[in-house]
PDB file of all heavy atoms in Angstrom:
ATOM      1  N   ALA A 282       0.369   0.732  -1.682  1.00 87.00           N
ATOM      2  CA  ALA A 282      -0.008   1.667  -0.623  1.00 87.00           C
ATOM      3  C   ALA A 282      -0.496   0.864   0.571  1.00 87.00           C
ATOM      4  O   ALA A 282      -0.919  -0.287   0.431  1.00 87.00           O
ATOM      5  CB  ALA A 282      -1.108   2.620  -1.104  1.00 87.00           C
ATOM      6  N   SER A 283      -0.452   1.450   1.755  1.00 90.00           N
ATOM      7  CA  SER A 283      -0.901   0.747   2.944  1.00 90.00           C
ATOM      8  C   SER A 283      -2.412   0.508   2.892  1.00 90.00           C
ATOM      9  O   SER A 283      -3.137   1.187   2.180  1.00 90.00           O
ATOM     10  CB  SER A 283      -0.535   1.538   4.195  1.00 90.00           C
ATOM     11  OG  SER A 283      -1.213   2.783   4.210  1.00 90.00           O
ATOM     12  N   GLY A 284      -2.851  -0.470   3.660  1.00 89.00           N
ATOM     13  CA  GLY A 284      -4.281  -0.763   3.726  1.00 89.00           C
ATOM     14  C   GLY A 284      -4.806  -1.596   2.589  1.00 89.00           C
ATOM     15  O   GLY A 284      -5.999  -1.590   2.302  1.00 89.00           O
ATOM     16  N   LEU A 285      -3.932  -2.361   1.923  1.00 91.00           N
ATOM     17  CA  LEU A 285      -4.411  -3.230   0.851  1.00 91.00           C
ATOM     18  C   LEU A 285      -5.372  -4.274   1.408  1.00 91.00           C
ATOM     19  O   LEU A 285      -5.178  -4.799   2.505  1.00 91.00           O
ATOM     20  CB  LEU A 285      -3.253  -3.944   0.166  1.00 91.00           C
ATOM     21  CG  LEU A 285      -2.317  -3.118  -0.710  1.00 91.00           C
ATOM     22  CD1 LEU A 285      -1.338  -4.048  -1.419  1.00 91.00           C
ATOM     23  CD2 LEU A 285      -3.091  -2.292  -1.728  1.00 91.00           C
ATOM     24  N   TYR A 286      -6.413  -4.587   0.640  1.00 89.00           N
ATOM     25  CA  TYR A 286      -7.347  -5.630   1.061  1.00 89.00           C
ATOM     26  C   TYR A 286      -7.706  -6.542  -0.113  1.00 89.00           C
ATOM     27  O   TYR A 286      -7.156  -7.606  -0.281  1.00 89.00           O
ATOM     28  CB  TYR A 286      -8.614  -5.030   1.684  1.00 89.00           C
ATOM     29  CG  TYR A 286      -9.218  -5.923   2.730  1.00 89.00           C
ATOM     30  CD1 TYR A 286      -9.258  -5.548   4.068  1.00 89.00           C
ATOM     31  CD2 TYR A 286      -9.745  -7.171   2.383  1.00 89.00           C
ATOM     32  CE1 TYR A 286      -9.802  -6.389   5.032  1.00 89.00           C
ATOM     33  CE2 TYR A 286     -10.286  -8.015   3.338  1.00 89.00           C
ATOM     34  CZ  TYR A 286     -10.316  -7.615   4.666  1.00 89.00           C
ATOM     35  OH  TYR A 286     -10.845  -8.438   5.605  1.00 89.00           O
ATOM     36  N   GLY A 287      -8.664  -6.128  -0.940  1.00 87.00           N
ATOM     37  CA  GLY A 287      -9.095  -6.989  -2.036  1.00 87.00           C
ATOM     38  C   GLY A 287      -8.135  -6.941  -3.206  1.00 87.00           C
ATOM     39  O   GLY A 287      -7.496  -5.922  -3.469  1.00 87.00           O
ATOM     40  N   LEU A 288      -8.030  -8.064  -3.911  1.00 86.00           N
ATOM     41  CA  LEU A 288      -7.241  -8.082  -5.133  1.00 86.00           C
ATOM     42  C   LEU A 288      -7.695  -9.233  -6.013  1.00 86.00           C
ATOM     43  O   LEU A 288      -8.398 -10.147  -5.572  1.00 86.00           O
ATOM     44  CB  LEU A 288      -5.743  -8.170  -4.853  1.00 86.00           C
ATOM     45  CG  LEU A 288      -5.077  -9.530  -4.636  1.00 86.00           C
ATOM     46  CD1 LEU A 288      -3.566  -9.383  -4.658  1.00 86.00           C
ATOM     47  CD2 LEU A 288      -5.507 -10.171  -3.344  1.00 86.00           C
ATOM     48  N   GLY A 289      -7.304  -9.152  -7.308  1.00 82.00           N
ATOM     49  CA  GLY A 289      -7.668 -10.201  -8.244  1.00 82.00           C
ATOM     50  C   GLY A 289      -6.780 -10.145  -9.461  1.00 82.00           C
ATOM     51  O   GLY A 289      -6.052  -9.174  -9.674  1.00 82.00           O
ATOM     52  N   VAL A 290      -6.836 -11.215 -10.254  1.00 85.00           N
ATOM     53  CA  VAL A 290      -5.985 -11.356 -11.428  1.00 85.00           C
ATOM     54  C   VAL A 290      -6.844 -11.288 -12.690  1.00 85.00           C
ATOM     55  O   VAL A 290      -7.952 -11.829 -12.721  1.00 85.00           O
ATOM     56  CB  VAL A 290      -5.219 -12.691 -11.401  1.00 85.00           C
ATOM     57  CG1 VAL A 290      -4.192 -12.752 -12.516  1.00 85.00           C
ATOM     58  CG2 VAL A 290      -4.544 -12.897 -10.048  1.00 85.00           C
ATOM     59  N   THR A 291      -6.337 -10.641 -13.741  1.00 79.00           N
ATOM     60  CA  THR A 291      -7.069 -10.537 -15.000  1.00 79.00           C
ATOM     61  C   THR A 291      -7.144 -11.902 -15.690  1.00 79.00           C
ATOM     62  O   THR A 291      -6.356 -12.791 -15.396  1.00 79.00           O
ATOM     63  CB  THR A 291      -6.394  -9.525 -15.939  1.00 79.00           C
ATOM     64  OG1 THR A 291      -5.040  -9.932 -16.150  1.00 79.00           O
ATOM     65  CG2 THR A 291      -6.424  -8.122 -15.362  1.00 79.00           C
ATOM     66  N   PRO A 292      -8.102 -12.079 -16.619  1.00 76.00           N
ATOM     67  CA  PRO A 292      -8.279 -13.380 -17.283  1.00 76.00           C
ATOM     68  C   PRO A 292      -7.020 -13.886 -17.972  1.00 76.00           C
ATOM     69  O   PRO A 292      -6.742 -15.079 -17.975  1.00 76.00           O
ATOM     70  CB  PRO A 292      -9.381 -13.105 -18.312  1.00 76.00           C
ATOM     71  CG  PRO A 292     -10.113 -11.934 -17.787  1.00 76.00           C
ATOM     72  CD  PRO A 292      -9.103 -11.096 -17.068  1.00 76.00           C
ATOM     73  N   SER A 293      -6.243 -12.979 -18.551  1.00 81.00           N
ATOM     74  CA  SER A 293      -5.015 -13.384 -19.238  1.00 81.00           C
ATOM     75  C   SER A 293      -3.882 -13.655 -18.270  1.00 81.00           C
ATOM     76  O   SER A 293      -2.855 -14.226 -18.638  1.00 81.00           O
ATOM     77  CB  SER A 293      -4.581 -12.276 -20.195  1.00 81.00           C
ATOM     78  OG  SER A 293      -4.228 -11.108 -19.456  1.00 81.00           O
ATOM     79  N   GLY A 294      -4.065 -13.231 -17.031  1.00 88.00           N
ATOM     80  CA  GLY A 294      -2.992 -13.349 -16.049  1.00 88.00           C
ATOM     81  C   GLY A 294      -1.976 -12.239 -16.149  1.00 88.00           C
ATOM     82  O   GLY A 294      -0.960 -12.249 -15.448  1.00 88.00           O
ATOM     83  N   GLY A 295      -2.246 -11.248 -16.986  1.00 88.00           N
ATOM     84  CA  GLY A 295      -1.280 -10.177 -17.216  1.00 88.00           C
ATOM     85  C   GLY A 295      -1.207  -9.121 -16.133  1.00 88.00           C
ATOM     86  O   GLY A 295      -0.187  -8.453 -15.996  1.00 88.00           O
ATOM     87  N   HIS A 296      -2.287  -8.956 -15.365  1.00 87.00           N
ATOM     88  CA  HIS A 296      -2.300  -7.904 -14.359  1.00 87.00           C
ATOM     89  C   HIS A 296      -2.995  -8.359 -13.074  1.00 87.00           C
ATOM     90  O   HIS A 296      -3.892  -9.203 -13.110  1.00 87.00           O
ATOM     91  CB  HIS A 296      -3.012  -6.649 -14.878  1.00 87.00           C
ATOM     92  CG  HIS A 296      -2.294  -5.990 -16.015  1.00 87.00           C
ATOM     93  ND1 HIS A 296      -2.548  -6.305 -17.334  1.00 87.00           N
ATOM     94  CD2 HIS A 296      -1.310  -5.045 -16.033  1.00 87.00           C
ATOM     95  CE1 HIS A 296      -1.765  -5.592 -18.115  1.00 87.00           C
ATOM     96  NE2 HIS A 296      -0.998  -4.822 -17.353  1.00 87.00           N
ATOM     97  N   VAL A 297      -2.553  -7.768 -11.982  1.00 90.00           N
ATOM     98  CA  VAL A 297      -3.212  -7.925 -10.696  1.00 90.00           C
ATOM     99  C   VAL A 297      -3.773  -6.578 -10.292  1.00 90.00           C
ATOM    100  O   VAL A 297      -3.076  -5.553 -10.394  1.00 90.00           O
ATOM    101  CB  VAL A 297      -2.223  -8.421  -9.611  1.00 90.00           C
ATOM    102  CG1 VAL A 297      -2.856  -8.356  -8.227  1.00 90.00           C
ATOM    103  CG2 VAL A 297      -1.780  -9.841  -9.915  1.00 90.00           C
ATOM    104  N   TYR A 298      -5.035  -6.548  -9.875  1.00 88.00           N
ATOM    105  CA  TYR A 298      -5.652  -5.333  -9.353  1.00 88.00           C
ATOM    106  C   TYR A 298      -5.695  -5.439  -7.834  1.00 88.00           C
ATOM    107  O   TYR A 298      -6.169  -6.444  -7.299  1.00 88.00           O
ATOM    108  CB  TYR A 298      -7.073  -5.182  -9.897  1.00 88.00           C
ATOM    109  CG  TYR A 298      -7.157  -4.685 -11.321  1.00 88.00           C
ATOM    110  CD1 TYR A 298      -6.560  -5.371 -12.365  1.00 88.00           C
ATOM    111  CD2 TYR A 298      -7.849  -3.518 -11.615  1.00 88.00           C
ATOM    112  CE1 TYR A 298      -6.636  -4.923 -13.670  1.00 88.00           C
ATOM    113  CE2 TYR A 298      -7.931  -3.058 -12.924  1.00 88.00           C
ATOM    114  CZ  TYR A 298      -7.326  -3.767 -13.945  1.00 88.00           C
ATOM    115  OH  TYR A 298      -7.414  -3.311 -15.240  1.00 88.00           O
ATOM    116  N   ALA A 299      -5.211  -4.419  -7.147  1.00 90.00           N
ATOM    117  CA  ALA A 299      -5.171  -4.428  -5.681  1.00 90.00           C
ATOM    118  C   ALA A 299      -5.798  -3.150  -5.139  1.00 90.00           C
ATOM    119  O   ALA A 299      -5.416  -2.047  -5.537  1.00 90.00           O
ATOM    120  CB  ALA A 299      -3.726  -4.551  -5.190  1.00 90.00           C
ATOM    121  N   ALA A 300      -6.777  -3.302  -4.233  1.00 87.00           N
ATOM    122  CA  ALA A 300      -7.500  -2.156  -3.687  1.00 87.00           C
ATOM    123  C   ALA A 300      -6.959  -1.777  -2.315  1.00 87.00           C
ATOM    124  O   ALA A 300      -6.792  -2.631  -1.446  1.00 87.00           O
ATOM    125  CB  ALA A 300      -8.990  -2.467  -3.585  1.00 87.00           C
ATOM    126  N   SER A 301      -6.687  -0.491  -2.134  1.00 87.00           N
ATOM    127  CA  SER A 301      -6.207   0.034  -0.856  1.00 87.00           C
ATOM    128  C   SER A 301      -7.322   0.794  -0.156  1.00 87.00           C
ATOM    129  O   SER A 301      -7.838   1.779  -0.688  1.00 87.00           O
ATOM    130  CB  SER A 301      -5.009   0.964  -1.066  1.00 87.00           C
ATOM    131  OG  SER A 301      -4.734   1.703   0.116  1.00 87.00           O
ATOM    132  N   GLN A 302      -7.685   0.328   1.042  1.00 83.00           N
ATOM    133  CA  GLN A 302      -8.682   1.039   1.838  1.00 83.00           C
ATOM    134  C   GLN A 302      -8.147   2.391   2.303  1.00 83.00           C
ATOM    135  O   GLN A 302      -8.877   3.380   2.341  1.00 83.00           O
ATOM    136  CB  GLN A 302      -9.077   0.203   3.052  1.00 83.00           C
ATOM    137  CG  GLN A 302      -9.858  -1.059   2.707  1.00 83.00           C
ATOM    138  CD  GLN A 302     -10.149  -1.872   3.947  1.00 83.00           C
ATOM    139  OE1 GLN A 302      -9.251  -2.227   4.697  1.00 83.00           O
ATOM    140  NE2 GLN A 302     -11.412  -2.175   4.161  1.00 83.00           N
ATOM    141  N   ASP A 303      -6.873   2.429   2.685  1.00 84.00           N
ATOM    142  CA  ASP A 303      -6.299   3.661   3.218  1.00 84.00           C
ATOM    143  C   ASP A 303      -6.169   4.738   2.145  1.00 84.00           C
ATOM    144  O   ASP A 303      -6.464   5.917   2.383  1.00 84.00           O
ATOM    145  CB  ASP A 303      -4.923   3.386   3.833  1.00 84.00           C
ATOM    146  CG  ASP A 303      -5.001   2.529   5.088  1.00 84.00           C
ATOM    147  OD1 ASP A 303      -6.130   2.289   5.562  1.00 84.00           O
ATOM    148  OD2 ASP A 303      -3.941   2.103   5.585  1.00 84.00           O
ATOM    149  N   ALA A 304      -5.710   4.335   0.964  1.00 84.00           N
ATOM    150  CA  ALA A 304      -5.478   5.314  -0.097  1.00 84.00           C
ATOM    151  C   ALA A 304      -6.729   5.582  -0.923  1.00 84.00           C
ATOM    152  O   ALA A 304      -6.785   6.579  -1.646  1.00 84.00           O
ATOM    153  CB  ALA A 304      -4.354   4.834  -1.013  1.00 84.00           C
ATOM    154  N   GLY A 305      -7.734   4.712  -0.827  1.00 83.00           N
ATOM    155  CA  GLY A 305      -8.934   4.871  -1.644  1.00 83.00           C
ATOM    156  C   GLY A 305      -8.616   4.729  -3.122  1.00 83.00           C
ATOM    157  O   GLY A 305      -9.194   5.406  -3.962  1.00 83.00           O
ATOM    158  N   ARG A 306      -7.706   3.810  -3.450  1.00 86.00           N
ATOM    159  CA  ARG A 306      -7.276   3.630  -4.831  1.00 86.00           C
ATOM    160  C   ARG A 306      -7.173   2.153  -5.175  1.00 86.00           C
ATOM    161  O   ARG A 306      -7.029   1.301  -4.291  1.00 86.00           O
ATOM    162  CB  ARG A 306      -5.899   4.276  -5.068  1.00 86.00           C
ATOM    163  CG  ARG A 306      -5.887   5.788  -4.964  1.00 86.00           C
ATOM    164  CD  ARG A 306      -4.466   6.320  -5.123  1.00 86.00           C
ATOM    165  NE  ARG A 306      -4.423   7.777  -4.980  1.00 86.00           N
ATOM    166  CZ  ARG A 306      -4.538   8.626  -5.984  1.00 86.00           C
ATOM    167  NH1 ARG A 306      -4.694   8.174  -7.215  1.00 86.00           N
ATOM    168  NH2 ARG A 306      -4.496   9.931  -5.787  1.00 86.00           N
ATOM    169  N   VAL A 307      -7.206   1.865  -6.466  1.00 87.00           N
ATOM    170  CA  VAL A 307      -6.899   0.541  -6.977  1.00 87.00           C
ATOM    171  C   VAL A 307      -5.588   0.629  -7.748  1.00 87.00           C
ATOM    172  O   VAL A 307      -5.421   1.499  -8.607  1.00 87.00           O
ATOM    173  CB  VAL A 307      -8.022   0.017  -7.889  1.00 87.00           C
ATOM    174  CG1 VAL A 307      -7.590  -1.265  -8.592  1.00 87.00           C
ATOM    175  CG2 VAL A 307      -9.283  -0.239  -7.071  1.00 87.00           C
ATOM    176  N   TYR A 308      -4.657  -0.264  -7.441  1.00 90.00           N
ATOM    177  CA  TYR A 308      -3.346  -0.287  -8.079  1.00 90.00           C
ATOM    178  C   TYR A 308      -3.265  -1.480  -9.026  1.00 90.00           C
ATOM    179  O   TYR A 308      -3.771  -2.566  -8.723  1.00 90.00           O
ATOM    180  CB  TYR A 308      -2.243  -0.376  -7.021  1.00 90.00           C
ATOM    181  CG  TYR A 308      -2.184   0.850  -6.149  1.00 90.00           C
ATOM    182  CD1 TYR A 308      -3.042   0.985  -5.057  1.00 90.00           C
ATOM    183  CD2 TYR A 308      -1.304   1.883  -6.426  1.00 90.00           C
ATOM    184  CE1 TYR A 308      -3.012   2.126  -4.260  1.00 90.00           C
ATOM    185  CE2 TYR A 308      -1.268   3.025  -5.640  1.00 90.00           C
ATOM    186  CZ  TYR A 308      -2.129   3.139  -4.555  1.00 90.00           C
ATOM    187  OH  TYR A 308      -2.100   4.263  -3.774  1.00 90.00           O
ATOM    188  N   ILE A 309      -2.634  -1.278 -10.180  1.00 91.00           N
ATOM    189  CA  ILE A 309      -2.551  -2.296 -11.207  1.00 91.00           C
ATOM    190  C   ILE A 309      -1.104  -2.760 -11.332  1.00 91.00           C
ATOM    191  O   ILE A 309      -0.213  -1.963 -11.641  1.00 91.00           O
ATOM    192  CB  ILE A 309      -3.067  -1.767 -12.549  1.00 91.00           C
ATOM    193  CG1 ILE A 309      -4.490  -1.220 -12.384  1.00 91.00           C
ATOM    194  CG2 ILE A 309      -3.039  -2.867 -13.608  1.00 91.00           C
ATOM    195  CD1 ILE A 309      -4.985  -0.454 -13.584  1.00 91.00           C
ATOM    196  N   VAL A 310      -0.871  -4.042 -11.084  1.00 94.00           N
ATOM    197  CA  VAL A 310       0.470  -4.620 -11.096  1.00 94.00           C
ATOM    198  C   VAL A 310       0.640  -5.484 -12.348  1.00 94.00           C
ATOM    199  O   VAL A 310      -0.192  -6.340 -12.638  1.00 94.00           O
ATOM    200  CB  VAL A 310       0.728  -5.465  -9.844  1.00 94.00           C
ATOM    201  CG1 VAL A 310       2.123  -6.099  -9.889  1.00 94.00           C
ATOM    202  CG2 VAL A 310       0.559  -4.638  -8.571  1.00 94.00           C
ATOM    203  N   ASP A 311       1.709  -5.241 -13.089  1.00 94.00           N
ATOM    204  CA  ASP A 311       2.058  -6.047 -14.260  1.00 94.00           C
ATOM    205  C   ASP A 311       2.696  -7.344 -13.760  1.00 94.00           C
ATOM    206  O   ASP A 311       3.730  -7.325 -13.102  1.00 94.00           O
ATOM    207  CB  ASP A 311       3.048  -5.265 -15.130  1.00 94.00           C
ATOM    208  CG  ASP A 311       3.360  -5.969 -16.437  1.00 94.00           C
ATOM    209  OD1 ASP A 311       3.640  -7.201 -16.410  1.00 94.00           O
ATOM    210  OD2 ASP A 311       3.360  -5.314 -17.486  1.00 94.00           O
ATOM    211  N   THR A 312       2.076  -8.492 -14.061  1.00 95.00           N
ATOM    212  CA  THR A 312       2.592  -9.754 -13.558  1.00 95.00           C
ATOM    213  C   THR A 312       3.851 -10.219 -14.280  1.00 95.00           C
ATOM    214  O   THR A 312       4.571 -11.084 -13.773  1.00 95.00           O
ATOM    215  CB  THR A 312       1.528 -10.855 -13.653  1.00 95.00           C
ATOM    216  OG1 THR A 312       1.145 -11.038 -15.025  1.00 95.00           O
ATOM    217  CG2 THR A 312       0.307 -10.507 -12.820  1.00 95.00           C
ATOM    218  N   GLY A 313       4.114  -9.651 -15.445  1.00 95.00           N
ATOM    219  CA  GLY A 313       5.339 -10.009 -16.164  1.00 95.00           C
ATOM    220  C   GLY A 313       6.564  -9.419 -15.525  1.00 95.00           C
ATOM    221  O   GLY A 313       7.632 -10.052 -15.477  1.00 95.00           O
TER     222      GLY A 313
END
C-alpha cells in the first residue's frame, strides 16, 4: 500500500513486516 515507512525482518528471515502510514496497516511479506 502507499505510504510505506518502517519495516523489519523476522529472526528466521522468513517474513518482512512493512508499515503503511497511509493505510494504517502492517503488511507481512513472505521472503521465500
Side-chain angles (χ1 to χ4, degrees):
S283 64
L285 289 186
Y286 210 114
L288 86 169
V290 188
T291 57
S293 65
H296 294 91
V297 170
Y298 283 59
S301 167
Q302 292 177 305
D303 292 352
R306 293 176 182 269
V307 171
Y308 295 83
I309 305 169
V310 178
D311 186 313
T312 61

